[in-house]
Amino acid sequence: MIAITREVSPSIARAELTHLERLPIDYPRAVAQHEDYCDALRELDVEVRVLPADAAYPDCVFVEDTAIVLDELAIITRPGAASRRGETTVMAEALAPLRTLVTIEAPGTIDGGDVLHLGRTLYIGRSDRTNDDAIAQVAKLVQPHGYEVVPVTFHGALHLKTAATRVSEDSLVINPEWVDRSIFRGFRTIACHPDEPFAANALMIGPTLIGSAQYPRTLDRLQRVASVMAIDSTELAKAEGGVTCCSILL
Ligand code: GLY
């Protein structure tokens, strides 16, 4: 497996915020935590390709939003925040040797964080970042490859994957306050702990989950279905990013 990540921007203090109050971010600590994240991936035998940061893009560490990668193709997104649109250029360059590339065109906007890929289904959250035009474009691009697209309405979170992520072959962790669990056909759901609303974002690498150490009560629940690696991600959490946001997996 390959993970494409990107260094933390020195301008991360100006990251987009939608549902969070701005708090000071300790940049050296954010960098160290991100390096720990890359090391956790390497420990799981993932080849990590780290792209350089760019001070012009405060959110560039959150690479998940820049592309939707399937076995058959990679869709370069058109991120919903105008400040993030330019982040896609280096991701397209990194993915070009690995996949056939296609792109989302205006007026479509979509962030990869809104795309939950479960088997041959792409659940795509309608959000401030992702509109119906882009969802329709994705459906047209992936339908020839045998994928179904299911639009999902959710509330309270920036991205669908803030509210639901896969944690095993047949289960998801979700925040049931933010998304209706009955949408995800064929998957059982594990609710995050009610005191940890942002804990429904974990990164599944085979039988192991990378999760955020600041959500211990949810991670306890997830131990039932996976081996959990807890990492500190406090600083990027202040920039409204979770563990899935920081990599594109192929
Ligand atoms: N700060 C993460 C985002 O707004 O995309």
Side-chain angles (χ1 to χ4, degrees):
M1 186 182 279
I2 296 171
I4 302 176
T5 68
R6 194 167 181 186
E7 294 168 342
V8 181
S9 174
S11 59
I12 183 76
R14 298 199 309 272
E16 296 278 344
L17 292 180
T18 306
H19 295 278
L20 298 181
E21 296 294 319
R22 196 167 296 281
L23 294 172
I25 294 175
D26 181 332
Y27 176 65
R29 194 164 175 218
V31 170
Q33 290 180 347
H34 186 259
E35 284 170 1
D36 288 347
Y37 172 86
C38 293
D39 284 342
L41 288 166
R42 291 184 189 102
E43 263 183 58
L44 297 171
D45 289 329
V46 177
E47 177 192 334
V48 181
R49 300 186 181 179
V50 185
L51 304 176
D54 185 335
Y57 298 110
D59 283 290
C60 69
V61 67
F62 301 128
V63 287
E64 176 181 53
D65 294 317
T66 61
I68 303 158
V69 179
L70 304 174
D71 287 346
E72 299 85 355
L73 78 169
I75 302 171
I76 303 301
T77 63
R78 183 167 181 270
S83 68
R84 301 198 56 191
R85 300 249 162 91
E87 293 175 29
T88 57
T89 305
V90 293
M91 182 55 68
E93 288 166 7
L95 287 170
L98 303 168
R99 291 289 187 279
T100 299
L101 302 187
V102 291
T103 54
I104 298 297
E105 306 295 341
T109 64
I110 186 166
D111 283 7
D114 278 319
V115 182
L116 179 59
H117 173 194
L118 300 176
R120 305 308 285 185
T121 305
L122 301 183
Y123 292 92
I124 306 186
R126 293 188 170 106
S127 70
D128 290 347
R129 300 289 177 83
T130 296
N131 63 22
D132 283 339
D133 186 279
I135 295 173
Q137 290 184 48
V138 173
K140 198 168 168 191
L141 290 166
V142 302
Q143 188 273 335
H145 301 287
Y147 293 89
E148 177 192 12
V149 165
V150 177
V152 176
T153 299
F154 68 101
H155 304 281
L158 174 60
H159 290 128
L160 177 61
K161 286 174 76 175
T162 323
T165 47
R166 190 176 197 167
V167 290
S168 76
E169 278 308 303
D170 63 354
S171 55
L172 307 175
V173 59
I174 72 161
N175 180 331
E177 300 291 321
W178 290 346
V179 66
D180 177 358
R181 64 174 81 210
S182 68
I183 289 166
F184 304 107
R185 301 179 302 251
F187 281 81
R188 64 196 170 113
T189 54
I190 299 166
C192 60
H193 190 282
D195 293 341
E196 298 175 346
F198 286 92
N201 182 270
L203 182 65
M204 189 175 113
I205 307 287
T208 304
L209 281 181
I210 298 178
S212 300
Q214 64 263 40
Y215 308 128
R217 286 170 283 193
T218 302
L219 294 186
D220 269 356
R221 294 180 179 189
L222 299 179
Q223 301 271 15
R224 286 183 234 143
V225 297
S227 158
V228 173
M229 284 175 84
I231 60 159
D232 287 323
S233 54
T234 54
E235 301 314 297
L236 294 183
K238 293 178 199 166
E240 217 163 349
V243 287
T244 66
C245 307
C246 294
S247 55
I248 296 257
L249 297 173
L250 303 92

